[in-house]
Structures are given as C-alpha cells and as structure tokens.
Amino acid sequence: MKSIRILALALSLALSVSLLGGCQKSGNASGSVNSSSPDVSTDASTTILPSDVNVSFLSGPTGVGAAKMMEDHAADPTGWNFSIAATNDEIVPMLNQGTLDIAATATNVAANLYNKTSGKITMLAVNTEGVLYILEKGNSIQSMGDLKGKTIYAPVTAKGANPEFIFNYLLTANEVQPSEVTIEWLTPQEITAKLVSSDSGIALLPVPAATSLLLKDQNVREALDLSAEWDKVSESPLVMGCVVARTEFLQEHPDVVQAFLKEYQASIDYMNDPANLETGADLVAKHGITANAQIAKKAIPQCNLTYLEGSDMRQAVQDYYEVLYQADPASIGGSMPYDSFYYLP
C-alpha cells in the first residue's frame, strides 16, 4: 500500500494531554468502551492530532467515498496517513497489531474482528450498501429463479464471504437451493476473459469489476442488481461496507474520531453528487481506488455510497447480521455483537 501523508498540524503537548484526560468512558458487556465526544472542533483540518493517525480504505466501492477527503489533504505531508488496501486480508492484521487506527472493511469482517478480539474494534459508520451484480452475456436471466441449474462465475475472494452468503440467501428466498447452482470460483480477470471469449456466460461480480467487464464487452449486460433483489425480500438495506476504529484509539481520542467522521461524511456526500461525477472519477483514479477514471465514472453511480451512523447504523447492521448468522454463525465470528460494538456517541 502506498501511504499518502497529509494534514500539516502543529502538535501541542498540553492540548494532547487535555484531550487524553477528557475521554468519557462507560463499561459494557464485552469489556470494551464507547466514548462520548467532548465539545471540541469536529473538523479534521483543524483538530490537533495526538500523533500520526493511520487510516486505510479498500480499493473499490468502500474507498470511493474517501476520495475527496484524501484529495483535500494530499498536499500536506504530516498528520493523517491515508492508504489504500486491496483486500480485507491486508487490513485485518494491521488493526490487530495496532498499526491502523481507522479502517474500511466489509461488515462481516468487522463483526469477526470484534468477536475474535473481545471488543477491540468498534463500528463507526456504514459507508457502502449493495455493490453486487449478476452479469450475463445473453438474455436468459430475468430473475433469481432463472439461475436454477446454471453455472455462475464468481470471484474467489467472494467464497465464504459477504457475496456468497448474500447470493445464497437470495437464491433460497426465491425458492432455489444453492446446491442447484454451480459456482466456478475464479479471479475477476479470469471471469472477464471467459465472458469476453465466449458467446454466453453468467457472472456474479461486484463494482468495479462488474463495471470493467461491461466496458470491455458491450454484449455483456447487467441482468440483476442484487441490491434490488435484496430489497424485495428484506425491509433493511443491504449493508456491505463500513468504517471501524480500534476501540482503544476511540477511547483515547474521541474528538479525532468525530473530526474524521464529519469530514468523511462530507466526502461521501461530495462523491454521491452527480454534479461532481467527472471530478470525483478523476480523484478516485488519482488515489488508486480504481484502475482508471473511465471505470470510476461508470462505477461511482453503482457504488451505493451511504453514510449511516448511530441507531440507524445499528439497526441496519443487526438485521443484516441476523441473515448472515442464520446462514453461517462463523461468518460474523460465531455470535451477534453486543451493542458496545456500535459507536453511539
């Protein structure tokens, strides 16, 4: 990962001590702590940092919302350290080791971390809803039921992860048993090559891999939006991505977390505004979140960027975890997280 060091700020020792002393803590069932933010500035450009703050976003949709925030601070070499990770597997060990303070992850990964670390991770906000699509070279798939008896190409990174659980849940909800569908687990590059070189084929892909394939072969079409399919069988949104913090960091620096969230939400709003699509696509490519601006421009409207915090976040995520838990308790670390998992300032 390449680090983008940002936000030049003079570190005041006296103020740092004040911030550390001002953290308000309350116990909970898991032994972790949620913090209430003191009445301080909530602008990441003016908040005095305790030291360099390490933040990592995932390439693809969960990183897209941060592009404006990263650009706003890119010219300054100190303070916030932003980086882009290719997979959750890169982020998890750094959170465990304390070398990351804040990070974007898949929602099920966040629950796993919370359960496996006895509450050392806190979910701050949901940043991405559904980004999964069924693409087809052909015209046979009009509904989830039409997938019965078909062979689907799917990315190997989706196996045993959010996409597989979501896909199987939607199949079952449409009276198709997962065993009635054959999945070939491949890399996105292999999936693209198979469809481009064939007269027919079906793939399950997330944005921006789906976007890239659509751009590469105009005979491939978007057959099903799995977010729309989810909405047909669930009252809660499909919440696939989130941003988390180490609980210890949150306890010690609640003002820094509040500053981050305020600016992060503004960045997501900027990237969601159609008027900013051209500029936003350039920023996404510039910061290595997608391969190029052309893919970013087509992908951004399909990223389903959102910002859910507080009780709205908790309700949506708990409903989603219920689905994952019923599919496989291990998908969220074996148990439903306590309320202390959710940042409720």
Side-chain angles (χ1 to χ4, degrees):
M1 300 185 296
K2 62 177 183 179
S3 179
I4 307 171
R5 300 179 64 92
I6 54 168
L7 191 61
L9 296 169
L11 177 62
S12 166
L13 177 60
L15 185 52
S16 293
V17 172
S18 173
L19 293 178
L20 289 170
C23 297
Q24 301 173 4
K25 304 179 181 180
S26 59
N28 52 61
S30 71
S32 63
V33 176
N34 273 339
S35 304
S36 298
S37 176
D39 185 16
V40 298
S41 168
T42 54
D43 184 343
S45 64
T46 59
T47 299
I48 303 297
L49 302 184
S51 62
D52 287 350
V53 180
N54 298 312
V55 183
S56 188
F57 299 101
L58 289 167
S59 59
T62 50
V64 167
K68 179 63 164 59
M69 183 179 185
M70 294 173 72
E71 179 65 15
D72 286 344
H73 302 297
D76 212 321
T78 60
W80 294 89
N81 298 323
F82 287 145
S83 60
I84 299 297
T87 67
N88 287 285
D89 289 343
E90 291 183 26
I91 285 176
V92 167
M94 290 189 290
L95 284 170
N96 282 332
Q97 295 160 13
T99 54
L100 276 181
D101 302 308
I102 298 172
T105 70
T107 45
N108 71 311
V109 171
N112 266 286
L113 273 169
Y114 173 84
N115 281 322
K116 292 177 180 179
T117 63
S118 301
K120 293 182 180 180
I121 295 296
T122 300
M123 182 181 288
L124 303 177
V126 169
N127 58 17
T128 315
E129 294 186 2
V131 294
L132 294 172
Y133 294 86
I134 297 293
L135 304 184
E136 183 188 17
K137 197 166 187 179
N139 200 42
S140 65
I141 306 302
Q142 307 297 327
S143 69
M144 291 297 298
D146 293 335
L147 293 170
K148 184 176 181 178
K150 304 293 186 182
T151 295
I152 314 294
Y153 304 131
V156 66
T157 52
K159 189 175 184 179
N162 269 357
E164 183 180 13
F165 296 125
I166 292 165
F167 183 61
N168 288 344
Y169 173 74
L170 291 175
L171 287 174
T172 303
N174 286 272
E175 301 182 347
V176 179
Q177 294 303 309
S179 60
E180 296 178 297
V181 174
T182 300
I183 298 181
E184 289 191 22
W185 302 103
L186 306 167
T187 67
Q189 294 79 11
E190 289 171 333
I191 293 170
T192 296
K194 274 186 172 289
L195 263 69
V196 169
S197 63
S198 303
D199 293 330
S200 62
I202 306 167
L204 166 65
L205 284 171
V207 172
T211 309
S212 179
L213 176 54
L214 288 168
L215 287 172
K216 187 161 290 189
D217 189 339
Q218 295 184 354
N219 293 316
V220 176
R221 69 181 184 92
E222 179 188 308
L224 298 173
D225 176 350
L226 294 196
S227 296
E229 298 302 318
W230 179 275
D231 289 343
K232 293 176 184 178
V233 297
S234 176
E235 295 182 359
S236 296
L238 177 55
V239 287
M240 293 186 65
C242 65
V243 61
V244 302
R246 289 189 298 107
T247 303
E248 182 180 19
F249 181 82
L250 173 60
Q251 292 169 358
E252 294 176 348
H253 309 293
D255 59 307
V256 174
V257 172
Q258 282 284 355
F260 167 83
L261 288 176
K262 181 177 180 180
E263 190 162 348
Y264 185 45
Q265 181 178 11
S267 182
I268 289 173
D269 290 344
Y270 178 93
M271 297 302 296
N272 264 336
D273 188 340
N276 300 323
L277 182 58
E278 291 278 355
T279 302
D282 289 340
L283 295 180
V284 167
K286 175 181 177 180
H287 293 290
I289 300 166
T290 63
N292 57 59
Q294 182 186 18
I295 291 175
K297 184 177 177 181
K298 188 171 179 61
I300 289 171
Q302 297 178 306
C303 284
N304 288 326
L305 302 179
T306 190
Y307 185 86
L308 293 177
E309 62 180 1
S311 59
D312 290 339
M313 166 189 66
R314 177 177 58 184
Q315 186 61 58
V317 174
Q318 284 180 331
D319 289 347
Y320 178 57
Y321 284 165
E322 287 284 358
V323 172
L324 296 186
Y325 185 81
Q326 292 302 317
D328 182 359
S331 67
I332 57 170
S335 63
M336 294 288 289
Y338 291 113
D339 279 355
S340 57
F341 173 54
Y342 305 99
Y343 182 48
L344 304 170

